[in-house]
């Protein structure tokens, strides 16, 4: 650590944070702090990429109609917008298709293929879906329609018989980076197409705003190639945003961060697919007239407000159901109501894990089947758990921490019992206790302007490069701490260390911790560091994650 600190001319705190992220020498530090387009992998390393490029070029030469098909979430809609925007610049016979969440369900649908046939499409390019669409691709083939699949979900034992299947998670795919999102795979396709047409990677930088948004929304690791894509994508969003992003971004007095993408832009994109139809989201993303995009954004904001009301209502009902069924002490949460809105059950599943920290599934009725969204807790692979219950499931797909599934109504109780059994027998009990990982113990006097200037360059943050969480001990309230917000839910703090260094902070949802600060009781805090913009001025503030009393041995200088 000392050697790295000396080589980079940084303090030991920064060096320690870098080493935790696998950055151990000067060259790795350069790649981390100065992402380069040269660090992107050759797209033709991906299995079937040449086949995909050849088929698209053939379609263009033969003036075939191409249908770009995508999932209805942020990753799917940005993927469709990206590929459509790229192809339509030079080719007019290209259109988009997003399945109806309620009538067709997730992924490639028979209805979508029938639509393609009736409208004379001979090539479907599926994005963020399709890796398990064995029967659908075969059905399309019977109708004379070719498929190119661009997916990032885990494949099953069988791969669809498509012209090309682009998915780095295939066991025999040599592509060196496996954690691309669906839009990332779509970007590799346009990178390959641009290379074949004599363009450079710099020429396709404008499409990286789509990719950065998908990376943030789909919660994929921001490491390796994703870090490069996210870095340049965030630059694009801030410096040259397309009209759709301008319309979807609320007014801010500071640069847009990945946190803003995740909590402000992505929910608005998602709201269209949750409450109405996701094609609405694609339309605003590809719209080039600002006035029209602003008008569409107002509609999406209405969808988003309705979504918020619904997810609060359903979360409340789900929590009541858990108590009514006396399932508070279960190893898992599995709840169902036929009236729950399918568009928000994923959000509700996430909300439930905030109260009952355990693998969670929320079911609702979808046609003649039941559909669910699944969310896990850190360290537990919910995909594997669902695979162990496959005899009770019609269809499922997803990732380690999030998945979707459908089953018959008569399978529900058998599935619920088996899933609870699988989780209870396989999960490490400590995984059911939420924890906050501490990156570094520091003192307030370590937070210098140089320290924060370098810390800002750790962004964009996400899985694999989480925002650093610091521990500072033995702090005293300066007298300015108070509860704020609705029902005094939050804390506004002013804390000092023994050397007199003072920092202000905000602790969301920790209003009940105010008594810990009374009577000059010393406390320890876990926090991240952020900039506060107010009245044209910028200052550092602490975003406090937890507060606890300082214990005696810490006051005496012992290690915690």
């Amino acid at each position: 650590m000392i050697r790295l600190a000396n080589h980079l001319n940084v303090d030991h705190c920064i060096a320690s944070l870098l080493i935790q992220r696998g950055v151990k020498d000067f060259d790795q530090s350069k790649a981390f702090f100065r992402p380069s387009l040269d660090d992107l992998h050759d797209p033709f390393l991906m299995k079937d990429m040449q086949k995909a490029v050849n088929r698209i070029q053939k379609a263009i030469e033969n003036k075939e109609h191409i249908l770009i098909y995508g999932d209805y979430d942020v990753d799917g809609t940005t993927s469709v917008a990206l590929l459509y925007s790229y192809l339509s610049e030079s080719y007019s016979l290209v259109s988009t298709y997003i399945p109806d969440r309620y009538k067709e369900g997730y992924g490639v649908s028979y209805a979508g293929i029938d639509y393609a046939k009736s409208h004379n499409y001979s090539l479907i390019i599926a994005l963020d879906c399709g890796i398990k669409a064995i029967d659908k691709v075969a059905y399309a083939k019977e109708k004379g329609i070719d498929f190119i699949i661009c997916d990032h979900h885990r494949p099953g034992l069988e791969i669809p018989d498509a012209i090309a299947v682009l998915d780095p998670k295939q066991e025999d795919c040599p592509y060196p980076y496996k954690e691309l999102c669906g839009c990332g795979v779509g970007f590799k396709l346009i990178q390959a197409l641009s290379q074949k047409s004599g363009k450079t990677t710099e020429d396709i930088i404008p499409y990286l705003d789509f990719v950065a948004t998908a990376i943030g929304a789909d919660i994929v690791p921001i490491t390796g190639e994703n870090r490069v894509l996210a870095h340049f994508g965030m630059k694009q969003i801030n410096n040259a945003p397309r009209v759709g992003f301008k319309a979807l971004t609320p007014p801010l007095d500071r640069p847009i961060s990945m946190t803003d993408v995740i909590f402000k832009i992505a929910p608005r994109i998602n709201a269209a697919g949750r409450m109405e139809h996701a094609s609405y989201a694609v339309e605003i993303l590809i719209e080039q007239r600002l006035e029209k995009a602003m008008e569409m954004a107002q509609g999406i904001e209405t969808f988003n407000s309705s979504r918020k009301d619904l997810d609060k209502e359903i979360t409340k009902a789900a929590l009541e159901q858990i108590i009514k069924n006396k399932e508070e002490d279960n190893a898992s949460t599995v709840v169902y109501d036929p009236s729950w809105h399918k568009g928000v059950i994923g959000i509700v599943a996430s909300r439930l894990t905030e109260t009952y920290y355990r693998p969670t599934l929320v079911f609702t009725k979808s046609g003649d089947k039941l559909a669910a969204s699944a969310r896990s807790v850190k360290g537990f692979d919910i995909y594997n758990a669902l695979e162990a219950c496959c005899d009770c499931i019609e269809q499922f797909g997803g990732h380690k921490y999030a998945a979707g599934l459908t089953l018959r109504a008569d399978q529900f109780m058998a599935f619920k019992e088996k899933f609870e059994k699988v989780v209870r027998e396989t999960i490490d009990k400590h995984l059911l206790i939420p924890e906050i990982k501490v990156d570094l113990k520091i003192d307030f006097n370590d937070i210098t302007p140089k320290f924060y200037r370098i810390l800002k360059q750790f962004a964009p943050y996400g899985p694999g490069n989480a925002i650093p969480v610091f521990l500072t001990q033995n702090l005293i309230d300066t007298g300015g701490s108070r509860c704020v917000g609705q029902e005094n839910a939050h804390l506004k703090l002013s804390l000092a260390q023994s050397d007199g260094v003072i920092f202000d902070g905000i602790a969301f949802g920790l209003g009940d911790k105010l008594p810990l600060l009374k009577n000059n009781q010393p406390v320890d805090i876990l926090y991240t560091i952020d900039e506060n913009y107010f009245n044209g001025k910028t200052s550092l503030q602490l975003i406090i994650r937890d507060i606890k009393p300082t214990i005696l041995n810490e006051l005496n200088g012992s290690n915690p």
Side-chain angles (χ1 to χ4, degrees):
M1 183 174 71
I2 295 173
R3 185 178 178 185
L4 181 62
N6 290 338
H7 278 182
L8 301 180
N9 190 27
V10 297
D11 63 34
H12 71 280
C13 296
I14 294 295
S16 177
L17 292 172
L18 288 170
I19 289 170
Q20 289 175 30
R21 285 154 179 76
V23 178
K24 298 177 182 178
D25 58 35
F26 181 84
D27 289 339
Q28 291 176 343
S29 300
K30 183 180 177 183
F32 183 79
F33 285 123
R34 301 288 182 269
S36 169
L37 294 173
D38 293 336
D39 295 331
L40 295 179
H41 301 299
D42 179 353
F44 289 98
L45 292 174
M46 194 174 294
K47 181 188 175 187
D48 283 358
M49 183 62 78
Q50 187 64 62
K51 292 179 181 178
V53 169
N54 290 346
R55 182 63 184 89
I56 293 170
Q57 288 179 329
K58 177 185 174 185
I60 292 171
E61 289 166 7
N62 295 338
K63 293 185 169 48
E64 297 178 54
H65 290 261
I66 301 173
L67 188 64
I68 302 173
Y69 188 113
D71 190 21
Y72 39 65
D73 66 2
V74 175
D75 195 12
T77 52
T78 53
S79 299
V80 168
L82 175 144
L83 188 56
Y84 174 82
S85 298
Y86 178 82
L87 290 178
S88 62
E89 279 189 1
S90 57
Y91 188 64
S92 61
L93 301 179
V94 56
S95 300
T96 66
Y97 187 95
I98 304 288
D100 186 289
R101 182 189 291 263
Y102 308 103
K103 295 177 182 176
E104 298 171 69
Y106 166 78
V108 178
S109 70
Y110 290 112
I113 295 167
D114 289 342
Y115 172 89
K117 179 64 178 177
S118 65
H119 289 78
N120 198 33
Y121 293 99
S122 53
L123 175 61
I124 296 176
I125 305 174
L127 295 141
D128 191 37
C129 60
I131 193 63
K132 288 190 170 182
I134 313 297
D135 296 339
K136 314 293 189 2
V137 171
Y139 178 75
K141 197 170 185 177
E142 290 173 3
K143 293 183 173 292
I145 300 171
D146 288 339
F147 252 94
I148 293 172
I149 292 170
C150 303
D151 207 347
H152 71 123
H153 296 97
R154 292 191 198 179
L157 294 176
E158 187 180 352
I159 302 297
D161 184 22
I163 293 294
V165 178
L166 308 179
D167 186 336
K169 289 192 174 74
Q170 294 179 88
E171 286 187 4
D172 58 345
C173 178
Y175 196 74
Y177 189 71
K178 304 295 184 181
E179 301 299 336
L180 293 170
C181 61
C183 194
V185 177
F187 181 80
K188 300 309 292 189
L189 177 58
I190 73 167
Q191 186 186 3
L193 288 165
S194 69
Q195 284 184 18
K196 287 296 183 182
S197 62
K199 295 180 180 178
T200 66
T201 305
E202 284 79 3
D203 294 324
I204 55 175
I205 285 177
Y207 300 98
L208 286 175
D209 51 1
F210 291 129
V211 184
T213 302
I215 285 171
D218 225 49
I219 322 178
V220 293
I222 304 187
T223 58
E225 193 167 39
N226 276 347
R227 181 169 173 82
V228 178
L229 297 170
H231 171 83
F232 285 97
M234 292 307 301
K235 275 191 171 183
Q236 189 70 21
I237 289 172
N238 276 289
N239 299 335
R242 66 184 65 241
V243 165
F245 281 106
K246 282 184 183 178
L248 288 167
T249 306
L252 297 171
D253 55 1
R254 53 177 172 73
I256 298 169
S257 68
M258 183 59 83
T259 300
D260 295 320
V261 168
I262 295 169
F263 292 106
K264 291 182 170 66
I265 298 175
R268 287 171 168 82
I269 296 173
N270 250 334
R274 294 185 189 282
M275 307 307 295
E276 286 290 325
H277 198 289
S279 59
Y280 200 85
V282 174
E283 288 171 19
I284 192 172
L285 289 172
I286 63 178
E287 180 58 55
Q288 297 184 9
R289 297 163 296 173
L290 182 58
E291 186 177 348
K292 176 64 174 175
M294 295 300 291
E295 181 185 321
M296 296 177 73
Q298 288 178 359
I300 283 181
E301 190 55 41
T302 301
F303 300 153
N304 199 35
S305 296
S306 300
R307 186 271 305 167
K308 289 177 183 177
D309 292 340
L310 262 179
D311 82 58
K312 285 179 184 176
E313 177 187 321
I314 295 173
T315 299
K316 182 174 180 290
L319 289 169
E320 290 171 352
Q321 186 178 122
I322 291 168
I323 293 169
K324 181 182 177 182
N325 293 341
K326 298 180 179 179
E327 294 170 343
E328 300 97 315
D329 297 325
N330 280 17
S332 67
T333 294
V334 180
V335 289
Y336 163 64
D337 190 291
S339 68
W340 288 344
H341 197 290
K342 188 180 177 185
V344 299
I345 57 174
I347 298 173
V348 172
S350 296
R351 295 258 192 270
L352 293 179
T353 63
E354 295 171 8
T355 303
Y356 296 99
Y357 191 73
R358 59 200 189 192
T360 297
L361 288 94
V362 179
F363 280 87
T364 190
K365 192 169 179 58
S366 179
D368 59 350
K369 303 280 176 66
L370 305 189
S373 279
R375 298 293 184 268
S376 193
V377 296
K378 185 177 180 181
F380 184 77
D381 192 324
I382 203 163
Y383 185 96
N384 287 345
L386 292 175
E387 203 163 41
C389 303
C390 61
D391 57 324
C392 304
I393 298 174
E394 291 279 288
Q395 183 180 350
F396 77 99
H399 309 284
K400 181 175 181 178
Y401 293 125
L405 65 148
T406 57
L407 47 75
R408 299 192 314 272
D410 62 354
Q411 293 175 306
F412 175 73
M413 286 310 300
F415 169 81
K416 181 172 180 174
E417 291 170 6
K418 185 161 187 178
F419 184 76
E420 167 69 15
K421 182 173 184 290
V422 167
V423 175
R424 188 172 292 279
E425 291 177 353
T426 60
I427 195 167
D428 289 335
K429 297 301 179 282
H430 73 273
L431 295 181
L432 297 172
I433 302 170
E435 64 177 17
I436 303 173
K437 179 181 178 294
V438 180
D439 288 88
L440 203 61
K441 176 184 172 183
I442 63 173
D443 293 324
F444 276 176
N445 59 20
D446 290 319
I447 308 173
T448 63
K450 179 181 178 181
F451 172 81
Y452 187 71
R453 189 170 65 250
I454 298 173
L455 189 66
K456 281 178 70 174
Q457 297 177 54
F458 277 59
Y461 297 117
N465 181 40
I467 186 169
V469 176
F470 301 105
L471 164 66
T472 298
Q473 298 176 310
N474 195 18
L475 302 170
I476 302 294
D477 175 32
T478 65
S481 299
R482 65 191 188 281
C483 287
V484 295
Q486 190 174 1
E487 299 180 356
N488 289 326
H490 316 306
L491 266 183
K492 189 81 174 170
L493 301 103
S494 180
L495 299 171
Q497 211 159 13
S498 57
D499 56 7
V501 181
I502 297 173
F503 271 97
D504 294 334
I506 182 76
F508 295 108
L510 297 181
D512 60 344
K513 301 277 190 177
L514 183 61
L516 296 178
L517 303 170
K518 301 298 184 184
N519 304 318
N520 288 327
Q521 297 179 84
V523 295
D524 301 343
I525 61 170
L526 296 183
Y527 59 95
T528 60
I529 307 172
D530 199 4
E531 287 178 316
N532 182 39
Y533 297 82
F534 186 70
N535 285 340
K537 294 182 179 180
T538 303
S539 61
L540 294 185
Q541 73 169 355
L542 312 181
I543 308 299
I544 296 169
R545 305 274 296 274
D546 199 14
I547 307 170
K548 72 170 188 176
T550 299
I551 57 177
L552 185 60
N553 68 332
E554 291 170 358
L555 284 172
N556 292 333
S558 302
N559 292 324

